[in-house]
Amino acid sequence: MLCVVIKGPTWEEILQQLTAASSYADCVELRLDLFSHIDIVALKQLREAWAMPMIFTLRCRSHGGSYAHSEENRLNEIRQLAALKPTYIDLEYNVLPSFIKEISCSYPEIKIILSYHNFTETPTDLDSLYQEMQHPSAHFYKIAVTANCSLDALHLLIWAKGKEGRVIAVSMGPQGQFGRIIGPILGIPITYASLDDGLATASGQLSAKTLKEQYHFSKLSSLTAIYGLIGDPVDASISDQTHNAFMGSNNLAAVYVKISVKPSQLAEFLLLAKQLPFRGLSVTMPLKESVIPLLDQIDPEAESIGAVNTLFFYGGKIHGYNTDGKGALNAIERTGSIEGKRVVIIGAGGAARAIAYEACRRGASVTIVNRDSEKAHRLANRFSCSSKGLEQMHICTNDGYDLLINTTPVAMPTPSEYILSTAMIMDIKTRPVETALIKCALKKGCSVIYGYQMFVEQAHGQFALWFGNTYSPLIHRENSKHQLQFKRKDAKV
Ligand code: ATR
């Protein structure tokens, strides 16, 4: 159930917000503590006129609310509000049990939500907390806690999914935001949303519009598979927009979320992810190499590359692939064959490895250029190509090249005098669309390949792996999961 939080504060704004919420929400929460004043007569009329289920909440300060008067006054006001018979009343779990019983006995038709808030952490002993909250019992138990990392949100969701839809689990903060999106898949009965971006009442809360339009919230159910991007940082990635748009337009029972995961958290993350309906993950820096020892199976090409950008959860196992190299080369070869062309790759990280591997495989003559020349050398040895330190870039320019690819995060990885106007220039960054390097290349009259072109192609590769026959992009023919030969990591070669 998508619940839009109505915060007022003026009566005019309350009515405007309710009208706007009605096109998105399954129910609304009136945060009465945020209203400039509580007009019982007007609220009564509102209850009578508005069919949508309503949660009344008069939140005290110790639970993050704004109610400014005494606790005695607050409970008296709640008594008056209960007489209006809202669908739900939200009460803090530690108000007097006698008060909770009073409300539930006087108004048995009102469903009581007992709520717990923690603005610093996600407690580890959720079982004890839950037991404590159940005296007296309520319709729902809301546990809104702070996720200091994505693992906190996963722990909370795994714990809550076994609670038969009784627990409204909320991971507050940006690290837990993905948990708000996938909640309904795990039986979390209510997801709170703001009316608009920027009107959130809690950290990490998304707008109803974003949940509905980007994440197709109304279609999420226990049948929806979870996909996502893991890495650190993940904020700048456009994959949540592109992948969800793709999933929506192909009517797939799938959602894609961005999850921040650091290398030190990766092993635990994958163990936890196996306990939830994750089906696929995109992997970005700095995890593309460190994920390899944690996989159950690795595709031989990804193993040769030494980097993985795609995970597929299948049969209780995690399989690793790399679609970066094919993605980059497919984007490049849309303009013509790379065979026999001289390619300079700046950078020697995970992306450079994948591109070098695929470019060599397709018959290009590759030179790796990197600030750490030793690293470039090691990579070049692996794929039998050549290497140079970044300070030797002028040699590449003098020798001539047909294609220059920047795989570093640097806007202008080499001085403009080393950019040949006869060459094609590619930057794998998706943001900004026109990097300094691309701008410089365009000025010189070079043809260019943008990062998003590679992004689209490597995403096609991921979709083909994840969705197989339900989706047939170009890359599918080469990359179908049915055609890939897996090699068990413990098998003798
Ligand atoms: P990815 O997985 O996206 O390839 P990565 O593995 O972190 O990311 O690799 C980034 C590459 O960009 C590395 O080759 C790195 O150079 P080093 O190998 O010398 O570390 C290169 N890089 C990063 N910052 C750079 C900078 N400021 N100047 C030049 N090269 C840089």
Side-chain angles (χ1 to χ4, degrees), residues 285 288-289 347-352 370-372 375 390 407-410:
M285 63 180 182
K288 287 182 180 180
E289 291 153 49
N370 195 41
R371 65 175 176 184
D372 177 345
K375 198 166 160 188
L390 192 53
T407 69
T408 75
V410 183

Side-chain angles (χ1 to χ4, degrees), residues 98-410:
S98 57
F99 181 75
I100 299 169
K101 280 186 191 148
E102 177 194 323
I103 298 291
S104 57
C105 291
S106 311
Y107 305 100
E109 64 273 56
I110 300 178
K111 295 170 184 159
I112 293 184
I113 301 172
L114 284 186
S115 58
Y116 167 87
H117 297 86
N118 187 321
F119 298 99
T120 54
E121 59 170 10
T122 299
T124 46
D125 193 357
L126 291 164
D127 283 328
S128 302
L129 171 66
Y130 188 44
Q131 262 181 10
E132 192 187 336
M133 288 177 80
Q134 290 181 82
H135 302 288
S137 67
H139 187 81
F140 287 136
Y141 301 90
K142 177 181 177 187
I143 298 188
V145 293
T146 301
N148 290 313
C149 64
S150 56
L151 300 179
D152 284 346
L154 284 184
H155 279 294
L156 181 69
L157 288 169
I158 288 167
W159 175 83
K161 88 179 158 90
K163 301 292 174 292
E164 293 161 341
R166 305 287 304 278
V167 173
I168 306 169
V170 183
S171 279
M172 295 186 287
Q175 298 280 336
Q177 191 176 63
F178 74 94
R180 293 177 180 266
I181 302 162
I182 63 176
I185 300 169
L186 307 167
I188 306 301
I190 295 181
T191 298
Y192 293 88
S194 61
L195 191 54
D196 278 314
D197 294 317
L199 281 183
T201 46
S203 172
Q205 194 178 72
L206 288 143
S207 75
K209 187 171 166 26
T210 301
L211 281 168
K212 281 257 183 177
E213 292 177 3
Q214 181 166 326
Y215 295 101
H216 312 113
F217 188 86
S218 49
K219 291 191 179 161
L220 303 184
S221 74
S222 59
L223 301 176
T224 308
I226 307 167
Y227 295 81
L229 169 71
I230 55 168
D232 181 42
V234 290
D235 297 347
S237 172
I238 54 173
S239 56
D240 51 340
Q241 291 158 42
T242 52
H243 287 45
N244 283 305
F246 160 81
M247 288 163 174
S249 60
N250 280 274
N251 231 353
L252 297 168
V255 69
Y256 189 95
V257 288
K258 294 199 289 195
I259 309 173
S260 170
V261 179
K262 294 187 192 308
S264 61
Q265 300 163 339
L266 183 58
E268 188 177 352
F269 175 87
L270 294 176
L271 280 178
L272 295 173
K274 276 184 170 178
Q275 297 175 50
L276 294 172
F278 276 92
R279 288 300 303 278
L281 289 170
S282 312
V283 181
T284 191
M285 63 180 182
L287 308 178
K288 287 182 180 180
E289 291 153 49
S290 53
V291 74
I292 291 178
L294 305 171
L295 300 173
D296 296 303
Q297 290 184 310
I298 183 165
D299 163 55
E301 272 191 3
E303 195 168 41
S304 301
I305 292 165
V308 156
N309 80 327
T310 307
L311 305 185
F312 184 41
F313 291 65
Y314 185 70
K317 292 200 157 104
I318 304 180
H319 309 265
Y321 303 83
N322 196 311
T323 68
D324 277 337
K326 281 194 169 71
L329 270 293
N330 286 356
I332 292 161
E333 290 205 317
R334 284 188 180 276
T335 63
S337 169
I338 193 93
E339 197 176 349
K341 298 277 167 62
R342 296 161 301 171
V343 178
V344 171
I345 299 176
I346 306 184
R353 270 189 211 206
I355 296 171
Y357 171 89
E358 189 63 17
C360 289
R361 201 180 71 81
R362 297 192 191 191
S365 160
V366 175
T367 304
I368 315 278
V369 175
N370 195 41
R371 65 175 176 184
D372 177 345
S373 57
E374 255 312 296
K375 198 166 160 188
H377 187 62
R378 283 198 300 276
L379 179 51
N381 269 351
R382 191 172 175 142
F383 300 137
S384 307
C385 51
S386 26
S387 68
K388 289 201 168 28
L390 192 53
E391 72 289 349
Q392 295 174 300
M393 181 61 206
H394 61 281
I395 303 177
C396 297
T397 309
N398 290 340
D399 292 349
Y401 55 83
D402 304 301
L403 171 64
L404 177 100
I405 308 172
N406 177 31
T407 69
T408 75
V410 183

